Amino acid sequence: MPHSKPILKALSGIQLSPPPIWLMRQAGRYLPEYRATRRKAGDFLTLCYTPDLAAEVSLQPLRRFGFDAAILFADILLVPHALGSDLWFADGHGPQLSRISSMQDVRRLAPPGIVRESLAPVFETVGILSREVPRDTTLIGFAGAPWTVATYMISGKGTTDHRDPIEFMRSERAAFDALMDRLAEATIEYLLAQIEAGAEVAMIFDSWAGSLHGIEFENFVERPLKKIIRGIADKEPRIPIIAYARHVGSAFSRFAKSSGAACIAVDSTVELGWAARHVQPYSCIQGNLDPRFLIAGGSELIDQAQKIVACLSNGPHIFNLGQGITPNADPKNVEVLVEAVRNPRSI
């Protein structure tokens, strides 16, 4: 049966004009209704684990902007939490985790299948969303990729240089390999459970992929992503997958050709003429407006959005940002963006 939803059409390789649109982190702190729901929950983890509230914040941007996709509201660190890592969110400090520093720490983690039980509230959220999203709206489930999740588990927090994870990878290779295997298997289970609950697309985020290079990049970014994509395809071959690996340059072309993903999400550093030549012939492209344009808005926002649409107009394209929307984005500018993408002649 042909797809009727714009996102699913694009993911099947169909060129659409205008392209469908949604935004990474479209449910978040830039929306006053999100902040109100967050206060009602009391803390971030409670919000993630309370299905009615998590579904509510997932639906809020759809009501306001009419996006073509809803994405599950959760966090990439729920998987290590399910595996037994301590996890808490401190205001002004971001996520904090108990650290993995030895093989003994890795062995203490729960088996991958535990995510189906421990993260049952997340799957309940997906079920609510599958019933409540508008008919033409696609429901996206997601997970963090093993390398990105491992950086948090080894550092005990978010970092930018990833010195500790890289050192652990090189000095404690057996433990690092075991951790990556555990995360890959748990991520497959997590995404399959989301699909069983009603997710129509799976997205994998490797936000820190660009911190590895050469053989380490091949072993710990490309290989785990391909393993997860194969693991999903073996059980759910009808489900398209969006792969997002930030700051990986020319590797986007290899991903498009060999990863098995239906769509490659590109960050804002990617030159779109190159992407149109080297990625789009093999894959749908998602991206790639710099989120800073949603702060100031104005003609520059409109111009940039329409340049992206024009540049990627000869193949399948899902309009999105190059990374998640920032808390200081202006919701009025998001409205302008949606209008610029969908009705460029009216701007």
Side-chain angles (χ1 to χ4, degrees), residues 12-344:
S12 69
I14 297 174
Q15 174 187 333
L16 299 175
S17 181
I21 178 173
W22 71 280
L23 303 181
M24 291 188 285
R25 291 188 181 173
Q26 63 188 26
R29 288 176 288 171
Y30 74 106
L31 291 177
E33 54 266 47
Y34 169 86
R35 296 194 296 270
T37 308
R38 168 75 179 269
R39 288 193 296 271
K40 181 177 180 181
D43 63 80
F44 182 75
L45 276 179
T46 299
L47 180 56
C48 290
Y49 286 135
T50 306
D52 288 343
L53 297 181
E56 167 61 20
V57 296
S58 302
L59 293 167
Q60 287 168 351
L62 302 187
R63 299 186 193 119
R64 188 185 273 257
F65 306 116
F67 290 127
D68 292 298
I71 187 166
L72 166 70
F73 181 83
D75 191 271
I76 64 169
L77 299 182
L78 297 188
V79 166
H81 195 214
L83 294 177
S85 293
D86 295 331
L87 172 65
W88 65 99
F89 287 79
D91 289 342
H93 297 283
Q96 311 283 306
L97 298 92
S98 51
R99 295 184 63 180
I100 296 290
S101 59
S102 67
M103 179 65 86
Q104 186 176 8
D105 292 337
V106 176
R107 288 172 175 158
R108 278 198 289 262
L109 296 173
I114 195 68
V115 299
R116 288 181 172 269
E117 176 183 350
S118 298
L119 299 181
V122 176
F123 312 134
E124 185 177 344
T125 301
V126 175
I128 294 171
L129 291 172
S130 70
R131 297 188 295 271
E132 296 194 9
V133 296
R135 179 181 298 179
D136 292 335
T137 303
T138 299
L139 177 55
I140 301 174
F142 80 94
W147 165 247
T148 288
V149 174
T151 65
Y152 287 91
M153 297 178 75
I154 296 165
S155 298
K157 59 183 179 180
T159 62
T160 55
D161 62 9
H162 305 127
R163 180 179 58 190
D164 289 341
I166 290 172
E167 174 60 27
F168 184 74
M169 173 184 65
R170 294 171 179 171
S171 63
E172 300 288 344
R173 183 59 176 270
F176 183 79
D177 285 344
L179 175 61
M180 293 291 283
D181 287 343
R182 185 74 55 95
L183 288 173
E185 294 296 335
T187 301
I188 292 169
E189 291 293 325
Y190 183 46
L191 288 172
L192 286 173
Q194 291 182 43
I195 292 164
E196 291 162 12
E200 301 168 284
V201 174
M203 184 165 177
I204 307 169
F205 287 84
D206 212 345
S207 301
W208 299 122
S211 62
L212 294 182
H213 306 281
I215 191 64
E216 292 174 342
F217 177 84
E218 294 175 17
N219 286 338
F220 304 122
V221 172
E222 289 188 292
R223 188 177 296 171
L225 280 173
K226 290 178 181 179
K227 179 178 180 177
I228 293 167
I229 291 168
R230 285 196 304 269
I232 295 169
D234 286 346
K235 297 289 184 65
E236 297 284 356
R238 65 187 175 84
I239 297 296
I241 296 172
I242 303 171
Y244 175 71
R246 190 162 63 113
H247 295 169
V248 301
S250 62
F252 282 119
S253 182
R254 293 208 309 275
F255 281 179
K257 294 175 184 177
S258 64
S259 69
C263 181
I264 302 299
V266 296
D267 63 74
S268 302
T269 66
V270 175
E271 198 279 309
L272 288 183
W274 177 88
R277 295 189 302 272
H278 297 285
V279 178
Q280 204 172 31
Y282 311 101
S283 168
C284 178
I285 289 183
Q286 180 176 286
N288 73 337
L289 182 72
D290 191 319
R292 68 183 176 87
F293 289 110
L294 291 175
I295 301 171
S299 61
E300 194 174 12
L301 166 63
I302 296 169
D303 290 345
Q304 289 294 322
Q306 294 183 351
K307 285 178 183 177
I308 291 169
V309 172
C311 191
L312 298 176
S313 63
N314 292 322
H317 174 215
I318 298 170
F319 193 98
N320 208 306
L321 305 177
Q323 61 191 67
I325 192 168
T326 57
N328 55 345
D330 187 339
K332 292 181 180 179
N333 290 334
V334 178
E335 293 176 4
V336 171
L337 171 63
V338 172
E339 185 67 15
V341 171
R342 288 182 172 161
N343 301 294

